[in-house]
Amino acid sequence: MNPSEFEKQAQELDEKLQSEKEHLEAEMVVIPDLVRQRLDAFYAQIESEAGLPNRPSSPRSVKRFLRGTAITAASAAVIGVMIIGSAFVSPTMAESLKQVPLVDSVFKLAGDFGLQTADRKGLATSTNLSVTHDGITLKVSQIIFDGTRLVVALEKQDGGQKVLPLFTRITPDGNIPEDSIEKFDLFINGKSALNQNGAFSLLDGGPGKDSNSMIISYMRDPASGLPDLPEQFDLKVYVKLKGVAEPFALQTTVYKTKLGRKVLQPQISKANQYLKFTVDRVEMTPVTTRILTAFTMLVDLKDMPDDYAIERKYISTEGPHKNYTKKEVKHLDYAVIDDQGRELEILGGSGKSISKNQPEQMAMLFTPFVDPPKKITFKPYILLMTPDGRTILDAKGQWVRQYLPEFEITIDVSQNTNQP
């Protein structure tokens, strides 16, 4: 970027910041010492920066280039501090402030590729909704709803107290350190997502950018018998923390993010005499890919060969039959590959138990495609397990897959696209 291009961009940014400032200048805001220290360090870093990409060759131009950078960043940073007291940040303002390395978002640092994309493109709603009980503050910092999944970024501030972290990751040895979460739920138009959590409705909590943040996600599918979430709804985030008597409840209105959506309905199957795999529907947004598929068993379980079934060992501590075996279909799943050979990351999903001539319907969420694909390949596989139900891992700690090329399906995106 040459100086003139940068100055033009800097001027546009300053105009956006000035517009927001005019709405906020009546409020007196004191900049905390910590923020001031970070700003001072940021200025020093900019002025000493020597490796800027595509920087001008003239020393004079470099000086003017850096000075413009510092002034623009300083303006954005100070106004960023001023708006912390506001409940919502406009998408335009949120995008402007993303250019200042003052506070990194949960979606940016901890989210999957889809959430990172939403953060980068300014698709997520930035909020400052917060509630404080017993000196502990819970804040909803970001929300995104693309029509398929609802995701909420939650952060905790302890006020200097020594309390348990909000959310902990599983350690390499398989232990789960204690955290402060006792219960969490999302109430959508007054109805609990937790109580509606069936085979095709998933409420899940995952790690955030640090131990005092987390990501809550919720998916609902028509196969559950429940309608899709509306384009606008009232949301209450409910959290009960250990050691805090009063639950935290944060309420807001959520709007479906307006973004491009493509729907494919290939309804293509591959089968042999024992199993059939069908790809029914693919929904793509810049944030999420949702795929509906089905595995169907075409013979009685007793006739299913060892390639697809296993005698599973069970140990029960109750009843007369403490140890027994049961024949089951192996754990079936599939990978989604774009035309560049890149596999989508699984975000979650669920399905029904498989039985003869009754399709095992699966609703799965994946990260979005990096680039719009021309072709999509579905590669079914079996996740290998021991007879007693333990997972078989490879040298990298990943669940070992046994691919089933007889059921592989490739679809042409342009020939299977429908309007949403």
Side-chain angles (χ1 to χ4, degrees):
M1 182 183 295
N2 60 48
S4 60
E5 291 174 340
F6 177 82
E7 288 168 357
K8 180 180 179 181
Q9 185 182 72
Q11 182 179 358
E12 292 175 351
L13 175 59
D14 281 336
E15 289 174 354
K16 295 176 185 176
L17 296 171
Q18 183 62 31
S19 175
E20 292 288 338
K21 180 176 179 293
E22 289 173 356
H23 289 86
L24 296 165
E25 61 185 0
E27 299 181 13
M28 296 298 294
V29 179
V30 177
I31 301 177
D33 291 340
L34 177 59
V35 175
R36 172 59 63 192
Q37 292 169 9
R38 292 189 65 181
L39 289 174
D40 291 341
F42 177 49
Y43 302 151
Q45 177 186 350
I46 292 175
E47 294 292 354
S48 62
E49 182 68 64
L52 291 171
N54 301 322
R55 64 187 186 276
S57 56
S58 166
R60 182 176 180 181
S61 299
V62 170
K63 183 177 180 180
R64 191 170 60 154
F65 177 76
L66 289 175
R67 184 172 179 271
T69 304
I71 292 173
T72 302
S75 301
V78 171
I79 297 175
V81 173
M82 292 177 65
I83 66 169
I84 287 176
S86 304
F88 285 90
V89 181
S90 68
T92 300
M93 187 63 180
E95 184 60 29
S96 300
L97 292 177
K98 283 186 178 68
Q99 301 177 43
V100 182
L102 183 63
V103 179
D104 285 318
S105 73
V106 176
F107 286 175
K108 177 181 178 180
L109 295 183
D112 54 67
F113 177 70
L115 296 180
Q116 292 171 3
T117 299
D119 184 88
R120 186 178 68 253
K121 293 185 176 182
L123 301 175
T125 299
S126 298
T127 87
N128 199 38
L129 298 171
S130 66
V131 174
T132 301
H133 295 314
D134 297 348
I136 296 175
T137 300
L138 276 191
K139 180 178 73 172
V140 171
S141 57
Q142 289 179 289
I143 299 174
I144 180 74
F145 172 55
D146 68 346
T148 296
R149 62 169 170 157
L150 167 66
V151 188
V152 176
L154 192 66
E155 299 185 59
K156 176 168 71 72
Q157 297 172 348
D158 300 331
Q161 302 180 64
K162 292 184 178 180
V163 296
L164 292 171
L166 180 65
F167 194 92
T168 54
R169 299 172 182 266
I170 299 176
T171 61
D173 57 5
N175 293 323
I176 304 177
E178 186 179 8
D179 56 37
S180 60
I181 287 285
E182 187 172 302
K183 179 183 178 180
F184 67 88
D185 197 356
L186 300 179
F187 287 82
I188 298 169
N189 287 337
K191 295 184 178 180
S192 164
L194 190 61
N195 292 341
Q196 297 176 349
N197 211 19
F200 287 90
S201 296
L202 297 176
L203 177 66
D204 186 37
K209 63 180 181 180
D210 53 33
S211 62
N212 275 325
S213 62
M214 67 179 294
I215 293 175
I216 301 174
S217 59
Y218 175 65
M219 175 189 77
R220 182 188 289 178
D221 194 88
S224 66
L226 298 171
D228 286 340
L229 292 177
E231 295 193 358
Q232 174 184 336
F233 54 86
D234 294 329
L235 173 69
K236 180 172 76 172
V237 181
Y238 173 96
V239 179
K240 180 67 174 68
L241 296 183
K242 298 172 185 176
V244 180
E246 188 173 354
F248 294 79
L250 303 100
Q251 302 187 58
T252 186
T253 300
V254 174
Y255 301 88
K256 178 181 175 181
T257 302
K258 298 185 183 298
L259 39 74
R261 182 168 177 259
K262 180 176 289 187
V263 177
L264 316 179
Q265 293 181 302
Q267 298 181 330
I268 298 174
S269 299
K270 279 284 189 73
N272 59 17
Q273 67 185 95
Y274 304 109
L275 280 173
K276 180 172 71 173
F277 174 62
T278 304
V279 179
D280 288 316
R281 185 179 176 92
V282 181
E283 301 174 10
M284 297 181 287
T285 78
V287 179
T288 312
T289 303
R290 180 171 68 169
I291 301 177
L292 304 183
T293 61
F295 282 100
T296 306
M297 187 167 63
L298 303 178
V299 299
D300 290 326
L301 183 58
K302 63 181 178 63
D303 299 321
M304 187 68 71
D306 292 343
D307 288 345
Y308 309 122
I310 188 172
E311 291 285 345
R312 186 82 63 210
K313 294 180 180 180
Y314 286 89
I315 300 176
S316 175
T317 57
E318 300 178 359
H321 305 290
K322 291 188 176 182
N323 301 309
Y324 64 96
T325 60
K326 178 183 178 183
K327 189 171 185 177
E328 296 178 350
V329 175
K330 294 179 179 179
H331 191 128
L332 297 167
D333 217 321
Y334 61 92
V336 182
I337 315 293
D338 70 6
D339 47 12
Q340 303 299 314
R342 296 171 294 201
E343 180 177 347
L344 301 190
E345 176 189 348
I346 296 177
L347 300 176
S350 62
K352 297 180 180 178
S353 300
I354 191 169
S355 57
K356 184 180 178 181
N357 295 326
Q358 296 294 321
E360 180 201 19
Q361 297 176 322
M362 301 175 67
M364 301 292 293
L365 290 187
F366 297 83
T367 52
F369 290 92
V370 176
D371 302 300
K374 296 179 180 178
K375 295 182 181 296
I376 304 173
T377 299
F378 301 84
K379 302 180 69 173
Y381 58 79
I382 290 171
L383 290 169
L384 297 184
M385 302 176 68
T386 62
D388 59 357
R390 290 178 296 172
T391 59
I392 298 177
L393 305 179
D394 60 19
K396 296 181 179 179
Q398 302 296 317
W399 203 336
V400 175
R401 301 174 178 180
Q402 178 185 321
Y403 284 94
L404 305 173
E406 61 268 36
F407 302 114
E408 184 172 310
I409 293 174
T410 298
I411 63 172
D412 188 296
V413 172
S414 62
Q415 294 180 5
N416 290 277
T417 302
N418 296 273
Q419 294 297 321

